[in-house]
Amino acid sequence: MSSDAGVTRSTSEDPWPVRVVSQKISAWIARLGWVWVDGQVAQVSRRPGASTVFLTLRDPSADLSLTVTTNRDVLDSGAPQLREGARVVLHAKPDFYAARGTLSLRADEIRQVGLGELLARLEKLKKLLGAEGLFDPRRKQRLPFLPHQIGLITGRASAAERDVRTNARRRWPAVTFRTVNVAVQGPSAVPQIVDALRVLDADPTTEVIVIARGGGGIEDLLPFSDEALCRAVFACRTPVVSAIGHETDAPLLDYVADVRASTPTDAAKRIVPDLAEEVRVIGQARSRLDRAVRNLVDREAHRLELLRSRPVLARPQLMVERLATDVSALRHRVDRCLAHTLTAAADDLRHTRDRLRALSPAATLDRGYAIVQRTDGHVVRAASEVAEGDPVRVRLADGELAATIDAGDRRQASPARRR
């Protein structure tokens, strides 16, 4: 640490005395000057007959506190009804008390934050968190259908704890809880809830986390609209259910949580299914399935009965008999057609044979005529075609004769005879 002008630097050979260090700390703190401070009153100490009042001012979002000293007149003029848990804004100057080595704030003005101002601050914070996407429905996680272990953050022996546990086990007796009891109002509420949230979120057996509290005034529910708590819930990997107050209560935690329950009892209904209802639904589904199967079987049985009642299946031989009749008729037609064709062909053949016989030289020979041929097979049609002494063959209807042409055989036929 550097020294003021004219003071040498601290070394191991030349260390500063405690009083010098205290003076330097006091000087550094005094440089901050007068500041406006916002906080929550954790303790008020008014000593009878004393003009000085001592306050413990706590940060609502962190486990930090400072001592504040002020004059009784300052407190009575600015916040005469000040009580523990109230939110205040004060004008103070940091003061380091060297004799004890303590830091405190010396206030010359104290203002108690009214309900209207609190609501205005909450609305401003709500718009800020909404703009950052902490309320976006697309970022919310779905609850498991049947969580085996539920993490519960609530006040010790509170009605909210009893409602959640009793109603959840009434719906599903096998469900288990890991409960972390915390302060649900006052200066220590937010740090304890955030710590419990961190512990349960790190537990792999915890499948859903419920933050529950009964009803109360706006001031009582302020911890559940704290920015630090809202951001801690948004950062959780485990689904978070908000069950704060009654239906009309709407702390900012309700908007950040994955599921908002109107009451602790409603939270129990949302995190576990109703065993009796599930059994009833399963029974109805089984009944519908049974009816569907029976209807299907009946419908298919009716179809089979219709198919079996058809003649082709009732008396399959009828189809064979009908086809056999058709085959027999076709065979008879074929036989008739073939016989008719053969008869017609036979008649044609007979007629052709008779015509051939009528035109055949053999028929002429049968009538007593003969055919004269030379030895080379040439048919002799005129006497001039042979000479005297030529050998010829004479074909008769039955056999042949060999002959020789003599002079008397070569008489010329008259033209009339040739015709």
Side-chain angles (χ1 to χ4, degrees):
M1 181 182 294
S2 61
S3 60
D4 292 334
V7 181
T8 59
R9 187 177 182 84
S10 171
T11 63
S12 59
E13 291 78 13
D14 187 16
W16 290 341
V18 174
R19 65 180 181 276
V20 175
V21 175
S22 297
Q23 292 171 359
K24 291 185 176 294
I25 293 175
S26 179
W28 276 102
I29 292 176
R31 293 181 181 180
L32 182 60
W34 291 87
V35 294
W36 287 97
V37 184
D38 176 24
Q40 187 174 27
V41 177
Q43 184 178 4
V44 181
S45 178
R46 295 184 179 91
R47 297 178 183 177
S51 61
T52 302
V53 178
F54 296 91
L55 307 176
T56 301
L57 193 64
R58 189 182 188 90
D59 189 315
S61 302
D63 191 13
L64 296 173
S65 62
L66 286 173
T67 301
V68 180
T69 62
T70 187
N71 188 276
R72 180 182 293 270
D73 295 337
V74 173
L75 182 62
D76 291 342
S77 62
Q81 304 297 327
L82 186 64
R83 295 181 180 180
E84 295 178 359
R87 293 289 291 270
V88 295
V89 175
L90 52 86
H91 187 245
K93 181 178 181 181
D95 189 10
F96 183 73
Y97 186 53
R100 295 183 180 178
T102 58
L103 176 66
S104 64
L105 297 175
R106 179 162 48 88
D108 64 354
E109 184 178 352
I110 297 178
R111 301 176 185 175
Q112 185 170 352
V113 178
L115 180 59
E117 187 174 350
L118 283 176
L119 294 177
R121 290 185 181 184
L122 292 180
E123 186 63 27
K124 182 178 179 181
L125 179 59
K126 180 179 178 181
K127 292 181 179 179
L128 173 64
L129 298 180
E132 293 183 14
L134 271 68
F135 304 159
D136 191 347
R138 295 174 296 180
R139 298 188 178 183
K140 296 185 182 300
Q141 305 179 69
R142 296 182 60 182
L143 299 184
F145 171 72
L146 182 59
H148 294 86
Q149 178 171 287
I150 299 170
L152 178 58
I153 301 175
T154 186
R156 185 179 302 276
S158 63
E161 177 182 359
R162 183 176 63 255
D163 289 346
V164 174
R165 295 172 69 95
T166 301
N167 286 281
R169 285 176 174 161
R170 183 181 295 125
R171 293 170 62 85
W172 198 271
V175 69
T176 60
F177 284 88
R178 181 180 178 181
T179 305
V180 181
N181 295 121
V182 297
V184 292
Q185 68 182 60
S188 60
V190 173
Q192 291 185 21
I193 296 174
V194 171
D195 289 342
L197 196 65
R198 188 179 300 111
V199 171
L200 293 177
D201 190 38
D203 184 0
T205 62
T206 300
E207 299 179 46
V208 62
I209 300 173
V210 180
I211 303 176
R213 186 200 189 282
I218 295 178
E219 294 84 354
D220 298 331
L221 301 181
L222 278 179
F224 301 97
S225 294
D226 186 83
E227 181 179 359
L229 177 58
C230 291
R231 294 190 183 278
V233 170
F234 182 75
C236 275
R237 296 172 297 177
T238 308
V240 177
V241 177
S242 173
I244 307 301
H246 303 299
E247 178 67 34
T248 55
D249 298 322
L252 297 184
L253 178 62
D254 285 352
Y255 298 96
V256 182
D258 297 294
V259 174
R260 187 252 181 183
S262 58
T263 62
T265 301
D266 183 48
K269 296 179 180 180
R270 290 176 176 269
I271 56 180
V272 291
D274 188 352
L275 179 59
E277 178 66 18
E278 295 302 321
V279 171
R280 186 185 66 81
V281 171
I282 292 175
Q284 291 179 347
R286 292 183 60 181
S287 299
R288 290 196 298 269
L289 182 61
D290 290 343
R291 289 195 300 271
V293 171
R294 285 196 299 268
N295 292 337
L296 178 61
V297 172
D298 292 342
R299 185 166 60 253
E300 294 302 320
H302 182 65
R303 287 185 57 194
L304 290 176
E305 189 64 27
L306 291 177
L307 291 175
R308 290 179 58 189
S309 64
R310 292 181 179 180
V312 69
L313 293 179
R315 293 186 60 191
Q317 66 272 18
L318 290 178
M319 181 176 65
V320 177
E321 292 174 356
R322 184 173 66 254
L323 294 177
T325 302
D326 294 342
V327 171
S328 179
L330 291 174
R331 288 183 60 186
H332 290 155
R333 287 184 59 189
V334 170
D335 290 343
R336 289 194 302 271
C337 290
L338 182 60
H340 178 72
T341 301
L342 292 177
T343 301
D347 292 342
D348 291 343
L349 182 61
R350 185 173 58 256
H351 294 158
T352 302
R353 184 179 59 191
D354 291 343
R355 287 195 299 272
L356 289 175
R357 285 179 178 177
L359 297 175
S360 173
T364 304
L365 295 178
D366 287 341
R367 293 197 299 269
Y369 292 93
I371 298 174
V372 179
Q373 293 177 308
R374 293 188 310 203
T375 55
D376 58 1
H378 180 72
V379 176
V380 179
R381 292 181 174 81
S384 59
E385 293 180 359
V386 293
E388 184 179 354
D390 289 341
V392 293
R393 289 187 306 161
V394 180
R395 290 189 58 186
L396 304 174
D398 183 13
E400 294 182 356
L401 295 176
T404 302
I405 301 297
D406 57 15
D409 294 329
R410 295 181 65 253
R411 291 190 297 239
Q412 290 288 338
S414 62
R417 290 292 298 269
R418 272 190 273 182
R419 286 196 299 266

